[in-house]
Structures are given as structure tokens and as C-alpha cells.
Amino acid sequence: MGKSEKVHNLVQIIAKPYVAFLILLGLLLGFNTGFYLFSFVVICPILVLLLFIFKIKKRGQEAILAFFLAFTIGLALGIPKTKARSDYGSYQGIVIENRQNYFLFDSGFHRYYVYERGCEREEGDYLEIKGKASPLKLTSYEGYFSFKDYLLKKGVDSEIKASSIEVKFERPLRLASIENAFINRFDDPITQGLLSSLLFNNKDYSNEAILLASSMNALNFLSTSGLLLGAILHFLDWLFALKYDEKKTATIVFALSLFLFPFGIRKVGYWRVIIYRFISMICIHKNKEIDPLTKVSLVGSLLFLINPYNALNSGYLIGFGLSIFMQITSSHRSRFERNEKKAIDYLYLMLFLWPLFVKRNAFHPLSPIYSFIMMPLILPFAMLGYASFASLPFVSVLKLYSSFLLWVLRLLSSLDYALPIGEFNDLVLFIYYYSLALFFSLRDIGLTAHSNVISILGIITLALRINPLLNIGLDQVVFLNVGQGDCIFIRNNTKTVMIDTGGNTSFDIAKEVLIPFFRKERVSKLDYLIISHDDTDHSGGVDSLKSNFKIRNIIRKHESFPITIGDIKLTSYNEGGFGEKNDDSLVLSLDFMGKKWLFTGDASVKTEKEIIKNHPSLRCDVLKVGHHGSDTSTSEEFLDLIKPSEAVISVGEGNKFKHPNDSVLHKLMLRNIKIRRTDLEGSIYYTSYLGFLKNYR
């Protein structure tokens, strides 16, 4: 084969819609992924090499090869990323997303987050904003939903602190005011919450129905999703097909789908369904056949070209990923007999969707069952909601129906079970889907035994991640990122101690942060929970943690020390009696993992002076800086006594107290003390395995 012929064949392959689509997708995902070196140097080239060695030409392998080649190129291109803007100026652009207290703003060359209480902006508004642009500073928490990551996936890496906002053009149709007027016709909060979520994709996490669905990892069934809209259109297909032929049915249903535009405008899933329907309708009218994989790829490519950041949306990846996966594996599934095929199709579906049933480091095995139960129940409620929005609201019917849905959610919640599976991060997710692709590629080229090895290794890896026996020989001190608060976890083999819980008034920090952390670390109980003092940012999670997790002992007083469990021995140095919470905060020392640790809670300079007087020989290697780096703690005399080599500051990013104070940072730097901060690093781990394998991060 000549060189020109090879080039011609390569162009033909790349020109195929599904290959072109996967190339675009691979480039963007590679460019935006976080584990450059690992995947660029190790994972992707291995798969690419295997596919080249065996000269794959089948459709499925062409797609896999194209994706991973593009992903590898994207990784290389993504390493030298541009920095977020940081300057004063005037910015003109359009609003691309609005919520109750913020909007996202596109100036043409950059995207910004703008905080505005009671925001009434709407998509399409053209504004001029004067103010200071700076990199995003948003508080994050250990294992909790990261709003910062959410914004980054939308291409927003900067924020503007606006001094003035001038409207240059305001979109005439103000959907938000219409939505609010409709929701306010219902006086029942459960009905309001369900309708807001299903019709307008606005979720109130203080609403019981939304909270229950979220805890069961079933919130996708209470969302304006492509799944819901697709189910509605399938019902309409069936209904109109009873009277009309295929062409008329396709036209009528597509026309009706356009009435859902106000509800789905913000959702990639809506556009995926609508564009796919439009292509299918054109094909029916022209009597042309386009295979589903090609249609899916055309829709995906179009949405990508309209807005490349669509490809970082979970709805986009799940919707298109599942469609392509089912098409590529159709040859495998077709080998089974007809009576087995439905079960096999369901198995393949679950194989792809399995990671979606994992939430906060726990697998919800009943999640697939929720789909069978909830979708048929949600569908009529949603359709009644749409009908109410378009005409007179069925207030009493929807209120009664929402009470029934709440009863179902409570029942399912009581049956829900969460299996801890260890840390389930983006890297694990990538390896899972990489292994899946490799498994089917090897089977297609006849290497069945090798593909079986891949599946066995996957099962063993999962079993090891769950197994708490891995904790044997493991020692840890972890400063958890709980925002503006304190929380320290100490582990010696299977013995566990936690000092403080952090606290938050907007969500349950025990359920949302601490328990998911325990699942990740394969911890099933706490031997001791120690509370340094009763400020909310130190003890706000105690009650919920007691109700939802096994705690053997809770300690609050100086008189309870010393405490010894395994190799963990905690000594208290503040005898208290000052009469003020911060002054009376427990100050604890620990000699562990070859280091001396000092945890000072919110102890003040007054307390430090008393400790200097009573314990003049006190020393430490690692200091947990007092009161989140406030200038009310960490005196020069105290630092000169204890002589730490490292200082950890537990603090929330962009906190209103402006912690840590510059004077405290200056004192630490003047003494060459290494400074570590949870607002900059996230949770800070000190780990020792079997006493000699140490990993500090």
C-alpha cells in the first residue's frame, strides 16, 4: 500500500462521524484532565500501542483508538494552561447562566463568576461590569461538592468583584419571573421543591424531598434531564402512533418538544434529545436511513462546536458515552439468544452506568431499582407540571401527588444501603472506563483470556479498596479540609481518634463531609471523639455524627486526659478555668509516627502564656496553629518555646475573618517554619505504613 493510499484511508477513518466526534471529545477531556503525567506517560500510550500492534480496523476499535490518541494529544496540549485573569477594568459581555445569588458572565475571551445577592439577571442579558477580576476563591470541603470544580468545567476560572453593573441590553422574555410566579401558586414546600427541580432544574437542598433523593443518589430522577424529556417524548410517540403514521407522529412530537424549550434551555440533555429528534424526523421525511451511532455522533459534535465546555458536563458525557458504548458493543450483545438478550443488554447498561451509583465513596446497590420505581411515578407528575405551567395550575392534584412521592421517597430511603468502597476519584473513574475499553478491544481481536485477566484484576482492585484489613499497619494524622473550622483525624492501625468536627450552618457537615471521609478511609467507628471547645466551627457536627456513626467515647474536658489507645497517647496542657471558650480550649500533644504534634484549638495568647509558665520544656515538630491563624493566638514567645518545623493552618478560603492574619504568617516565616494551609492544599495527610513507607501530602 502506497503512502498516498494510507493517507487516504486515514482521512476516511477520521471523516467518519463517530470517529470525528470521539477525537473532539478526547482532545477536550485530555486538555482538562488533572492527572497529566500518569495518564500521558503510562496509560494512554499502552492502549494506543496495543491497538496499533494488532492493526485494529473494526468500527469499535477505530473509535477507541481515535479517542485515546486524541486524549493523549489533549493531555500534552493542556499542560501549559493559561492563568486566570487578575486586574481592574471594565468588562462587556453576556450572561450565560443565572442563579439566585450569582451569574456567569462571558466577555468573549474569558468567563467569570459574579456574586450578586438576589440576582435577577437572565441568560442573554448584555452587561458592562466594572470591578476587579481575580482567580476564583471559593471555600471547598473534604469530599463535598466542589462549586469551584463545577465552575471550572464551565470554563470559569475567574471572578469579578463588581463595583458597578450597567445593563446594555436586557432579554425581553424574563423567564425567571414567570417561573417564580408559577411556583408561588403552590403553598406546599414539597410541591414547590419538586416542581422547581423537575421543571426548572432549581434544587433547594433544604427541601425534604430533594434531600432524600440526594442521600439515596437518586437525584437525577428529580431533574430536568434528557432522560426525563426523552421519556415524555417516547410516551407521546406511542400516543400519536395510535392514530397517525410515522411521518406525522415524528412531526407532531417534534413540534410539541419545542414547547419544552423554556424548561430545558439550560440542560445539555434537552438539546441532545431535541437535535437527535430533528435529525431523525428529517431522515423519516426523506426516507433515508442513518445508523444511530452516526446520529449520536453528529449531535455530539454539533453541541461540542456550539460550546466545547458542554463536553465537560456530566449529562453530556453520560448521555453520549452510553449511546456510543451500546453501539460499539452491539456485536458482543448480538451473539446471545433472543431470550437472553434483554438480560445481557441490561447487564451492559449497568456495566457502563455503575460509577453513577457511587456517591461520596459509597456504592448504592439499590440505585438501579429506584429507576424502575421512580421514573413511572415521576413522569405523570412532570407532565402535569408542564400542563399546569401552560394553563391553569392543578394545585390540589399536584399537592396530593407530591405527598405521595414524598411517601415513596421516605420508604425507599429507609431501605437504602450504602457500601463503602474507598476513595472513588476522577483517576479511579478514568481507570475504570479505560479498563472497560481495553476489555472489549482484547475480546474483539480474539485475546479472550487476556480480557478475562483485565476483569479479574478489576474485581480484585475493588475488593482491596473495600477491605478494612488494609488499615493494619497504617498510621495517619489528617487535617481535614472543613472550610473555616477544625477537624483532625488520627489513626493507628484500626484505632481511631478525631479532634473536633468542624461545622457549617448551610449543610450537615457530618453527613456530607465526615462520614464520606470515613468511607474513603475504610473507617467503621471512632474510638474517641474529642471536642476542644463548643464553638460551632469545632463542634457543629457532633450531634449528627452521634446519630449516624458509631462513636465509643466523647471527650470534652481536660480532666479526661491523658488518653491512650494503641500507640496514640494524647496529653492535655490547658487546665482551663479562664471562663472564656477560646481561652479554655483544649491544647493537646501527641508523640506519634516519629513526630511530636501540638493541637491548640482556638487557644489564645493568654492560654499560651500559662502553658509557657507551667510547661517550659514543651516542644513539637508539627503545630496546628491556634484559632485558624488569628492574631489572638500564636505569640512569638510560644513559637520560641515549642520550636515547630511545620505549622498547619485549618482555614476556609476567602473567609470573612481574613484568616490567617499576615502578622502570624510573618512570625512563622521569620522562624523558617514550613506553612501548610487547608484552604490552599485541601486536606493535609501525614501517613506511615508499617513504620517505614511514609507519604506526606
Side-chain angles (χ1 to χ4, degrees), residues 17 196 357 392 456 495 608 632 651:
S196 290
F357 307 143
L392 293 174
I456 291 169
K495 307 298 182 184
E608 292 173 358
T632 61
V651 63

Side-chain angles (χ1 to χ4, degrees), residues 529-547:
L529 173 61
I530 300 168
I531 304 301
S532 64
H533 63 299
D534 287 331
D535 279 355
T536 301
D537 59 339
H538 291 253
S539 62
V542 174
D543 291 341
S544 179
L545 196 58
K546 280 196 301 185
S547 301

Side-chain angles (χ1 to χ4, degrees), residues 99-297:
R99 288 292 184 267
Q100 186 176 358
N101 289 318
Y102 74 88
F103 62 89
L104 304 184
F105 179 74
D106 192 328
S107 68
F109 298 99
H110 225 83
R111 292 184 166 194
Y112 301 93
Y113 162 83
V114 184
Y115 176 82
E116 185 180 44
R117 181 177 286 278
C119 173
E120 295 183 355
R121 315 293 174 188
E122 297 210 21
E123 286 96 339
D125 289 352
Y126 189 79
L127 311 174
E128 181 178 3
I129 303 177
K130 293 181 180 178
K132 183 183 179 183
S134 59
L136 283 172
K137 290 185 178 179
L138 299 167
T139 298
S140 60
Y141 301 86
E142 165 69 33
Y144 188 57
F145 168 75
S146 172
F147 185 51
K148 188 173 183 178
D149 286 348
Y150 168 81
L151 293 178
L152 289 173
K153 287 180 179 179
K154 289 180 174 288
V156 179
D157 62 358
S158 306
E159 60 181 310
I160 298 176
K161 291 187 177 177
S163 56
S164 69
I165 301 177
E166 183 181 349
V167 179
K168 296 292 186 181
F169 170 79
E170 193 171 70
R171 193 181 74 186
L173 181 61
R174 312 304 287 173
L175 289 176
S177 58
I178 298 172
E179 291 171 9
N180 290 333
F182 171 71
I183 293 298
N184 288 333
R185 292 191 179 192
F186 301 87
D187 57 359
D188 174 42
I190 298 301
T191 308
Q192 287 181 339
L194 288 171
L195 288 173
S196 290
S197 184
L198 281 165
L199 272 61
F200 310 120
N201 206 42
N202 294 324
K203 297 177 180 62
D204 177 7
Y205 286 90
S206 64
N207 186 284
E208 185 184 358
I210 303 300
L211 200 59
L212 285 171
S214 177
S215 68
M216 297 186 297
N217 197 24
L219 195 54
N220 54 316
F221 298 110
L222 296 183
S223 302
T224 311
S225 63
L227 180 67
L228 177 65
L229 297 174
I232 291 171
L233 295 181
H234 278 304
F235 171 76
L236 294 176
D237 282 334
W238 170 82
L239 188 65
F240 286 102
L242 296 175
K243 185 174 181 181
Y244 301 106
D245 61 21
E246 187 181 22
K247 288 184 180 179
K248 284 185 178 179
T249 297
T251 304
I252 293 169
V253 174
F254 179 74
L256 290 173
S257 71
L258 297 179
F259 286 100
L260 299 175
F261 173 79
F263 308 104
I265 185 173
R266 296 171 179 165
K267 298 293 289 184
V268 173
Y270 168 81
W271 293 106
R272 174 172 57 82
V273 171
I274 292 300
I275 297 172
Y276 188 92
R277 284 263 169 179
F278 177 75
I279 294 173
S280 298
M281 182 182 70
I282 297 299
C283 291
I284 290 170
H285 279 275
K286 292 186 175 293
N287 295 317
K288 286 188 176 180
E289 277 290 328
I290 299 180
D291 68 275
L293 182 57
T294 299
K295 280 194 281 189
V296 166
S297 301

Side-chain angles (χ1 to χ4, degrees), residues 563-582:
I563 292 171
T564 302
I565 179 168
D567 291 339
I568 302 170
K569 182 177 180 180
L570 288 159
T571 304
S572 172
Y573 284 94
N574 182 14
E575 297 178 9
F578 297 104
E580 204 280 329
K581 281 192 291 187
N582 285 354

Side-chain angles (χ1 to χ4, degrees), residues 218-397:
L219 195 54
N220 54 316
F221 298 110
L222 296 183
S223 302
T224 311
S225 63
L227 180 67
L228 177 65
L229 297 174
I232 291 171
L233 295 181
H234 278 304
F235 171 76
L236 294 176
D237 282 334
W238 170 82
L239 188 65
F240 286 102
L242 296 175
K243 185 174 181 181
Y244 301 106
D245 61 21
E246 187 181 22
K247 288 184 180 179
K248 284 185 178 179
T249 297
T251 304
I252 293 169
V253 174
F254 179 74
L256 290 173
S257 71
L258 297 179
F259 286 100
L260 299 175
F261 173 79
F263 308 104
I265 185 173
R266 296 171 179 165
K267 298 293 289 184
V268 173
Y270 168 81
W271 293 106
R272 174 172 57 82
V273 171
I274 292 300
I275 297 172
Y276 188 92
R277 284 263 169 179
F278 177 75
I279 294 173
S280 298
M281 182 182 70
I282 297 299
C283 291
I284 290 170
H285 279 275
K286 292 186 175 293
N287 295 317
K288 286 188 176 180
E289 277 290 328
I290 299 180
D291 68 275
L293 182 57
T294 299
K295 280 194 281 189
V296 166
S297 301
L298 289 172
V299 174
S301 299
L302 181 60
L303 287 175
F304 181 97
L305 294 172
I306 291 170
N307 178 11
Y309 289 103
N310 280 335
L312 298 179
N313 182 286
S314 59
Y316 181 100
L317 292 171
I318 294 164
F320 288 109
L322 178 59
S323 298
I324 290 172
F325 175 74
M326 295 304 282
Q327 289 296 321
I328 287 175
T329 58
S330 59
S331 61
H332 293 270
R333 292 182 283 113
S334 64
R335 297 170 187 171
F336 294 91
E337 297 294 332
R338 186 174 179 180
N339 57 348
E340 299 175 328
K341 196 169 184 309
K342 283 190 177 181
I344 295 300
D345 286 348
Y346 179 76
L347 177 64
Y348 274 60
L349 180 69
M350 291 299 104
L351 195 62
F352 183 87
L353 294 178
W354 179 83
L356 300 183
F357 307 143
V358 176
K359 182 177 182 180
R360 300 194 183 103
N361 307 312
F363 172 55
H364 293 256
L366 297 178
S367 284
I369 298 173
Y370 301 150
S371 62
F372 289 106
I373 297 173
M374 291 301 299
M375 185 54 72
L377 300 178
I378 289 295
L379 195 59
F381 182 85
M383 295 183 72
L384 272 174
Y386 290 130
S388 295
F389 186 81
S391 60
L392 293 174
F394 301 104
V395 176
S396 57
V397 176

